[in-house]
Amino acid sequence: MARFMELGAAVSAHLRQGDTVAFEGFTHLIPHAAAHEVIRQGIGDLTLIRMTPDLVYDQMIGMGLVRRMIFSYAGNPGVGLLRRFRDAVENGWPRPIEIEEHSHAAMANAWEAGAAGLPMAVFRGYKGAGLAGVNPNIRHVTCPFTGEELAAVPALRPDVSFIHAQKADRAGNVLIEGIVGVQKEAVLAARRAAIVTVEEIVDDLGAHPNACVLPRWTIAAIAVVPGGAHPSYAHGYYGRDNAAYIAWDAIAGDREAFRAWMEEHVLGQGPQVFAERVRELRT
Amino acid sequence: MARFMELGAAVSAHLRQGDTVAFEGFTHLIPHAAAHEVIRQGIGDLTLIRMTPDLVYDQMIGMGLVRRMIFSYAGNPGVGLLRRFRDAVENGWPRPIEIEEHSHAAMANAWEAGAAGLPMAVFRGYKGAGLAGVNPNIRHVTCPFTGEELAAVPALRPDVSFIHAQKADRAGNVLIEGIVGVQKEAVLAARRAAIVTVEEIVDDLGAHPNACVLPRWTIAAIAVVPGGAHPSYAHGYYGRDNAAYIAWDAIAGDREAFRAWMEEHVLGQGPQVFAERVRELRT
Amino acid sequence: MSRQPFSPDEMMTIAAARALRDDDVCFVGIGAPSAACNVARLTHAPGITLIYESGTIGTAPEVLPLSIGDGELCETAVTTVPVPEMFRYWLQGGRISVGFLGAAQIDRFGNINTTVVGDYHAPRTRLPGGGGAPEIASLSQKVYITMKQSRRGFVETIDFFTSFGHGEGGDHRQRLGITTAGPTLLITDLAIWEPDPQSREFTVTSLHPGVTREAVQETVGWTVAFAPGLSETPAPTETELDVLRALKERTRIAHGG
Amino acid sequence: MSRQPFSPDEMMTIAAARALRDDDVCFVGIGAPSAACNVARLTHAPGITLIYESGTIGTAPEVLPLSIGDGELCETAVTTVPVPEMFRYWLQGGRISVGFLGAAQIDRFGNINTTVVGDYHAPRTRLPGGGGAPEIASLSQKVYITMKQSRRGFVETIDFFTSFGHGEGGDHRQRLGITTAGPTLLITDLAIWEPDPQSREFTVTSLHPGVTREAVQETVGWTVAFAPGLSETPAPTETELDVLRALKERTRIAHGG
């Protein structure tokens, strides 16, 4: 049952060293504030899951908190590579990182299977693809009706999932609108807890009957963090800070510049700074 | 690409004797008008698919148009049994009917698999259930990660699917709101054509970004039939005619009464009568 | 406790309602389960989450639905999801604490038949079939069953295993790889039954007011076991009866009955 | 035909745009594919359906998205679906007529690498990875690829098979049980390439204005095959250039670049 908490308390109550954790968001509604809180609390040795790890996973990797990452596209969207991730993969800095790499189709299906309580996802995929040769978690099942061989991957079941959403009502039901990605699946697939940061609490979600609403009893904790997706965006609240994505390339390109940036913008801050960061981006 | 047509023309252009066909709707938005048009055109030897065959399938069965039915719950919701269906199963009247019976979970998963272009659906089901012993299309696959045995059923892929929806825009995009059931899946799973009856055509669907909208290129034909779901209902347009569902029990209980009712209310009518039937039920 | 007279049917619904908790997430079958779940919501369990298989989650209807997908279920729901999602994410996902079922036939182990009377391939009476029940029975954390007692319904051997209760009893569920508790409560118009901890045979643990052991046995096709500490079900309270009757009356008017 | 000068990059985008039809349902990769698809929509193919893997179906952005999930893609879409549905119902369901991809490395058979340079387990350069490409390549009815030519990108042997084109050529796709056509068009800054009907090796069928065979060969790491009836790509029209440049300018302003 959803409890309204401060973000710091929600993180320390639910996330443990060594956990498997997802901070999901498909370009939209990426829970940056929550991930920054985890960085500040120094919770490490994590296995990170996300289809599209971008800046905030680059930051967690660069801070040495990540042991392993399950993903399908590790880039800075529209900009280029993730330089902290590269440094970890290519040079083992600040620590080596294990990877389990999939395609988007596989990850999306694996999230769906996780939400559906199944041990695996079955889909038509990976035909001729090199990942099938390097990832032992890509296997096959045979259709007992047609004999077709289909791809199978394990369901994704993190210990804890974090998402950012537009709003919650006072009972703790959460609404996500726009590009909804795999966030519902990430919440429902979490084994121990789903933690949601929201732009605001409202009396009435005002939701369309078929809108993406997560009932209060699917969520462990809700923290109000206006701007908590920045530099990602929140449909109906503020736009994407494309300039910040572009600027990240240079920051992450240098180990010293990266550490200095993290000190200034993450370690020395708190969740309350996000509201300020989106002030100029409000729609 | 959706073509706007008269219902009669849409049916005769797309549905053939011997087809496998679904008229889907989960209590809500059941395409009664479309099924009545099929009855009038006497297109028979059909394999009918539907999770919840109710009055309108009882009618098609009683008219002798049905060779086989794939279903998971054949009742008059809240009222009782389907007496024409019973007569066909128990007495072979007016012709014997083959059945392929599943659970709702199996059918829902099979629709999902049909929409997803897969040959089968995989789910955790049928454990200890008698249907697994009488339906050879209930098989199993083994998870290559956990060894768990999971149920498998063939994907549903009708030749033609009919649904009723609230509205289409002038380009032919279709909006469904409220209890959306498996209608999106039925449309996407159709091999040859999906035919949609709608309450009205509008300039702008006014749809929420994540509403259930079927793009125009997923649909073969759209026919405007106000009231076309009666005695089922259309969320936002008119309520369910519960009295008609209750009354059906007596009508269908007698072969002669049934034939007379069909003559009067279906064979001697056209799609235009549905608007009149919902006049008192409008919300 | 109420001074009003009450019917066995009312006692059944109210006793079933009492079994539900405020934090339950309940997958509601139509008919008697639906009435019980809504009485619970309107009395002691306002926070209960009611889910109907049509996709409505957290619904709070003013009147009882005639069907599993009446419009009001959607209009009053927290959200309404597609039916495939309902069965995959919500039921199979393990999120249902109580699956609430009715039945045409039941045996002593809570196995249920709503499919056929007679042989499956040549039935004497073809019933509607299982609908959601086979997986509600195996995937809900536990199952409550409510139905009126009769010799036709409470049978030594059911004609078809629409949904699996405790099978032949004992650890039969576990042997099939089913990890949920199965039927843990059976509420009838005469009594409350619970499975014996070892044999899993349903055993009468409470008789409704004025009901005798003989009355229970007469309507059951097997030799009924009564628990040692057999108690009497508290009669409906004034509030419970008022809530149930008002609900039924609103429903009667709304359905034009 | 335009009198304006134009860049090879503009020619590439416009030539790619021309390949798209009004009734195409196009799964759009970010970067060059996105520009080409939107130029097509804004010129000869206003009815084209553009789908981005973030779930936006039938989108019509005023500016090019920086990411695959920019807000405008959703705001201008016919509908936006969850990402699992996008990959299951829309891509795997066989509804995509053209998958439009870019690449870091490509070989003569249209196999693509966007995963690593060097060995997978000890890469010299770790690239972002495949994202949607592996299944876009196998499940779209056909695949168009657009990328600038360079010795670094057009290689004899790719370092990793991120997505499968024609494999080793010939009927290699069919032998793997892939039923779709695969890469049928490669549009670069210098030329248009199409697979040879037998060998499936990409062959230059049209040179962009002013481009020589030597210029094409210099930027390719294998011996290039030229089609017998080699033609010249028509230069961009005034309209095409105006539309592309206006789109790029709107994009530049919108992204604060």
Side-chain angles (χ1 to χ4, degrees):
Chain A
M1 196 61 69
R3 283 187 59 200
F4 292 97
M5 299 174 83
E6 294 295 316
L7 179 57
V11 167
S12 59
H14 293 288
L15 188 68
R16 302 175 197 156
Q17 189 91 358
D19 271 356
T20 295
V21 56
F23 301 78
E24 265 296 356
F26 204 91
T27 305
H28 181 213
L29 293 173
I30 299 167
H32 278 262
H36 283 185
E37 184 59 34
V38 172
I39 293 171
R40 273 192 297 276
Q41 295 193 14
I43 302 170
D45 203 31
L46 299 172
T47 293
L48 295 184
I49 302 176
R50 195 165 141 211
M51 293 185 65
T52 53
D54 64 356
L55 271 56
V56 80
Y57 276 31
D58 213 29
Q59 292 165 9
M60 297 176 87
I61 291 166
M63 296 301 284
L65 301 176
V66 185
R67 182 175 64 77
R68 187 160 173 264
M69 184 164 83
I70 304 172
F71 72 102
S72 45
Y73 184 89
N76 182 342
V79 179
L81 308 175
L82 290 179
R83 299 186 184 280
R84 292 296 92 229
F85 170 62
R86 278 190 61 185
D87 208 8
V89 171
E90 297 169 16
N91 308 310
W93 193 93
R95 57 178 283 179
I97 184 171
E98 293 169 37
I99 59 171
E100 177 176 337
E101 186 172 2
H102 286 282
S103 67
H104 275 353
M107 289 281 284
N109 275 286
W111 273 129
E112 201 276 347
L118 291 173
M120 62 156 170
V122 174
F123 65 107
R124 186 178 289 117
Y126 281 132
K127 288 195 175 166
L131 283 177
V134 296
N135 180 346
N137 267 343
I138 299 168
R139 299 185 190 172
H140 294 88
V141 296
T142 302
C143 172
F145 303 99
T146 62
E148 180 179 354
E149 193 176 67
L150 294 162
V153 294
L156 290 170
R157 297 295 307 270
D159 297 305
V160 181
S161 289
F162 289 88
I163 66 163
H164 186 75
Q166 276 102 339
K167 47 191 166 185
D169 65 21
R170 294 189 194 286
N173 301 301
V174 166
L175 174 68
I176 307 172
E177 289 182 308
I179 292 175
V180 294
V182 292
Q183 280 98 304
K184 179 187 251 187
E185 288 74 17
V187 164
L188 297 181
R191 287 187 193 276
R192 193 191 313 137
I195 300 172
V196 184
T197 53
V198 295
E199 290 295 324
E200 59 175 337
I201 309 283
V202 296
D203 289 331
D204 183 351
L205 292 179
H208 179 278
N210 307 120
C212 179
V213 175
L214 289 158
R216 65 190 190 286
W217 43 274
T218 62
I219 293 162
I222 297 173
V224 182
V225 186
H230 177 273
S232 164
Y233 70 104
H235 184 104
Y237 289 80
Y238 48 88
R240 190 169 187 266
D241 190 349
N242 284 324
Y245 278 88
I246 293 166
W248 181 251
D249 202 47
I251 297 160
D254 178 84
R255 291 175 186 174
E256 292 311 308
F258 164 73
R259 286 293 319 195
W261 191 93
M262 292 300 293
E263 284 289 344
E264 183 181 346
H265 295 92
V266 179
L267 299 178
Q269 303 290 351
Q272 75 288 348
V273 300
F274 282 84
E276 177 59 34
R277 287 175 185 167
V278 300
R279 197 177 303 277
E280 301 291 314
L281 298 159
R282 290 209 173 266
T283 48
Chain B
M1 195 61 69
R3 285 187 58 200
F4 292 97
M5 300 173 82
E6 293 296 317
L7 179 56
V11 167
S12 60
H14 293 288
L15 189 68
R16 304 175 195 157
Q17 189 91 0
D19 270 357
T20 296
V21 55
F23 301 79
E24 265 296 357
F26 204 91
T27 306
H28 181 214
L29 292 174
I30 298 167
H32 277 263
H36 283 186
E37 183 59 34
V38 172
I39 293 171
R40 275 191 295 276
Q41 294 192 17
I43 302 170
D45 202 32
L46 298 173
T47 293
L48 295 184
I49 303 175
R50 195 166 139 209
M51 292 184 67
T52 55
D54 64 356
L55 272 56
V56 81
Y57 276 30
D58 213 29
Q59 293 165 10
M60 298 177 86
I61 291 165
M63 296 300 284
L65 300 176
V66 184
R67 182 175 65 76
R68 185 160 175 267
M69 187 164 82
I70 304 171
F71 72 101
S72 44
Y73 183 89
N76 181 343
V79 179
L81 308 175
L82 290 181
R83 299 185 184 280
R84 294 295 94 227
F85 169 63
R86 279 191 60 185
D87 209 6
V89 170
E90 297 169 15
N91 310 310
W93 192 92
R95 58 177 285 180
I97 185 170
E98 295 169 34
I99 60 170
E100 177 176 337
E101 186 172 1
H102 286 283
S103 66
H104 276 352
M107 289 282 283
N109 275 285
W111 272 129
E112 201 274 349
L118 290 174
M120 63 156 172
V122 174
F123 64 108
R124 185 178 291 117
Y126 282 132
K127 288 195 177 168
L131 283 178
V134 296
N135 180 347
N137 267 344
I138 298 169
R139 301 186 188 172
H140 293 89
V141 296
T142 302
C143 172
F145 302 100
T146 62
E148 181 179 353
E149 193 175 68
L150 295 162
V153 294
L156 291 169
R157 296 297 305 270
D159 297 307
V160 181
S161 289
F162 290 87
I163 66 163
H164 186 75
Q166 277 101 342
K167 48 191 166 183
D169 65 21
R170 296 189 193 284
N173 302 301
V174 166
L175 175 68
I176 307 172
E177 289 182 307
I179 291 176
V180 295
V182 292
Q183 282 100 304
K184 178 187 251 187
E185 287 74 17
V187 165
L188 297 181
R191 287 187 193 278
R192 194 194 308 139
I195 300 173
V196 184
T197 53
V198 295
E199 290 295 323
E200 61 174 337
I201 309 282
V202 296
D203 289 331
D204 182 351
L205 292 178
H208 179 276
N210 307 120
C212 181
V213 175
L214 289 157
R216 66 191 191 286
W217 45 273
T218 62
I219 293 161
I222 297 173
V224 182
V225 186
H230 177 273
S232 163
Y233 71 104
H235 183 102
Y237 288 80
Y238 47 88
R240 191 169 187 265
D241 190 350
N242 285 323
Y245 277 88
I246 293 166
W248 180 251
D249 201 47
I251 298 160
D254 179 84
R255 291 177 187 174
E256 293 313 308
F258 165 72
R259 285 294 316 195
W261 191 93
M262 291 299 291
E263 284 290 344
E264 183 182 346
H265 295 92
V266 179
L267 298 177
Q269 302 291 352
Q272 75 287 349
V273 300
F274 281 85
E276 178 57 35
R277 288 175 184 167
V278 300
R279 197 177 304 278
E280 301 292 313
L281 299 159
R282 289 208 174 269
T283 48
Chain C
M1 197 171 299
S2 168
R3 300 295 153 93
Q4 300 177 55
F6 55 88
S7 72
D9 208 60
E10 289 173 331
M11 183 71 252
M12 173 171 77
T13 301
I14 287 166
R18 289 175 185 158
L20 294 165
R21 295 160 40 118
D22 197 57
D23 61 354
D24 270 328
V25 176
C26 191
F27 207 100
V28 186
I30 210 68
S34 182
C37 291
N38 280 288
V39 168
R41 181 178 62 78
L42 293 167
T43 55
H44 66 284
I48 194 170
T49 295
L50 302 185
I51 293 182
Y52 288 73
E53 63 195 14
S54 56
T56 52
I57 296 176
T59 186
E62 265 296 296
V63 305
L64 293 175
L66 185 69
S67 80
I68 211 85
D70 278 18
E72 199 182 351
L73 294 175
C74 172
E75 285 155 21
T76 61
V78 171
T79 187
T80 298
V81 302
V83 167
E85 179 183 322
M86 174 53 68
F87 282 94
R88 285 179 74 79
Y89 288 6
W90 301 91
L91 179 59
Q92 183 179 260
R95 268 168 273 277
I96 307 300
S97 66
V98 177
F100 217 134
L101 297 173
Q105 285 184 338
I106 189 169
D107 70 14
R108 72 181 74 199
F109 294 113
N111 304 299
I112 280 176
N113 173 25
T114 58
T115 303
V116 288
V117 179
D119 178 63
Y120 181 78
H121 296 288
R124 279 203 307 285
T125 306
R126 174 64 226 198
L127 302 170
E135 282 76 20
I136 293 173
S138 61
L139 295 170
S140 303
Q141 288 163 34
K142 56 189 173 183
V143 174
Y144 296 167
I145 302 166
T146 182
M147 60 187 285
K148 286 193 212 187
Q149 291 190 201
S150 75
R151 286 253 167 192
R152 204 170 66 163
F154 281 60
V155 296
E156 178 70 31
T157 308
I158 58 175
D159 288 339
F160 192 84
F161 264 58
T162 303
S163 54
F164 193 83
H166 298 290
E168 298 168 359
D171 65 350
H172 200 173
R173 284 178 78 84
Q174 292 91 311
R175 282 188 279 122
L176 294 186
I178 305 173
T179 56
T180 52
T184 58
L185 202 58
L186 166 61
I187 305 106
T188 72
D189 50 341
L190 303 181
I192 296 174
W193 305 58
E194 294 173 72
D196 177 85
Q198 293 305 313
S199 71
R200 314 308 292 166
E201 175 179 336
F202 263 110
T203 304
V204 176
T205 55
S206 179
L207 294 170
H208 295 340
V211 175
T212 62
R213 292 178 183 230
E214 292 66 33
V216 171
Q217 180 62 71
E218 273 167 21
T219 52
V220 172
W222 66 83
T223 304
V224 176
F226 294 88
L230 191 62
S231 59
E232 183 180 290
T233 313
T237 66
E238 203 85 35
T239 307
E240 287 168 336
L241 271 184
D242 288 351
V243 165
L244 172 59
R245 288 173 182 176
L247 177 65
K248 292 268 191 187
E249 177 62 11
R250 288 197 301 275
T251 301
R252 192 187 62 72
I253 293 167
H255 293 178
Chain D
M1 196 172 299
S2 168
R3 299 296 153 92
Q4 298 176 55
F6 55 88
S7 72
D9 207 61
E10 288 173 331
M11 183 72 252
M12 174 171 77
T13 301
I14 289 166
R18 288 175 186 160
L20 294 165
R21 294 161 41 119
D22 197 56
D23 61 354
D24 270 327
V25 176
C26 191
F27 207 101
V28 186
I30 210 67
S34 182
C37 291
N38 280 288
V39 168
R41 181 177 63 78
L42 294 166
T43 55
H44 65 283
I48 194 169
T49 295
L50 303 185
I51 293 182
Y52 288 73
E53 63 195 14
S54 56
T56 53
I57 296 176
T59 185
E62 265 295 295
V63 305
L64 293 175
L66 184 68
S67 81
I68 212 85
D70 278 18
E72 201 184 350
L73 294 175
C74 173
E75 284 155 22
T76 62
V78 171
T79 187
T80 298
V81 302
V83 165
E85 178 183 324
M86 174 53 67
F87 282 95
R88 285 180 74 81
Y89 288 6
W90 301 91
L91 179 58
Q92 184 179 259
R95 269 168 272 278
I96 307 299
S97 65
V98 176
F100 217 133
L101 297 173
Q105 284 186 337
I106 190 169
D107 70 14
R108 73 181 73 200
F109 293 113
N111 304 299
I112 279 175
N113 173 26
T114 59
T115 303
V116 288
V117 178
D119 178 64
Y120 180 78
H121 296 286
R124 278 202 306 285
T125 307
R126 174 64 227 198
L127 302 170
E135 282 76 21
I136 293 172
S138 62
L139 295 170
S140 304
Q141 288 163 34
K142 56 190 173 183
V143 174
Y144 297 167
I145 302 165
T146 183
M147 61 187 285
K148 287 193 211 184
Q149 292 191 199
S150 73
R151 285 254 165 190
R152 206 171 65 164
F154 280 61
V155 296
E156 178 70 34
T157 309
I158 57 175
D159 288 336
F160 193 84
F161 265 56
T162 303
S163 55
F164 193 82
H166 298 289
E168 297 169 359
D171 64 349
H172 199 173
R173 283 178 79 84
Q174 291 91 312
R175 282 188 278 124
L176 294 187
I178 306 174
T179 57
T180 52
T184 58
L185 202 57
L186 166 62
I187 305 107
T188 71
D189 51 340
L190 303 181
I192 296 173
W193 305 58
E194 293 174 71
D196 176 84
Q198 295 305 314
S199 71
R200 316 307 293 167
E201 176 179 335
F202 265 108
T203 305
V204 176
T205 56
S206 181
L207 293 171
H208 296 338
V211 174
T212 63
R213 293 178 181 229
E214 292 68 33
V216 170
Q217 181 62 71
E218 273 167 21
T219 53
V220 172
W222 67 82
T223 303
V224 178
F226 294 89
L230 190 63
S231 60
E232 183 181 291
T233 313
T237 66
E238 203 85 33
T239 307
E240 287 169 335
L241 270 184
D242 288 351
V243 165
L244 172 58
R245 286 173 183 175
L247 177 65
K248 292 270 190 182
E249 178 62 11
R250 287 198 300 276
T251 302
R252 191 187 62 74
I253 293 166
H255 294 178

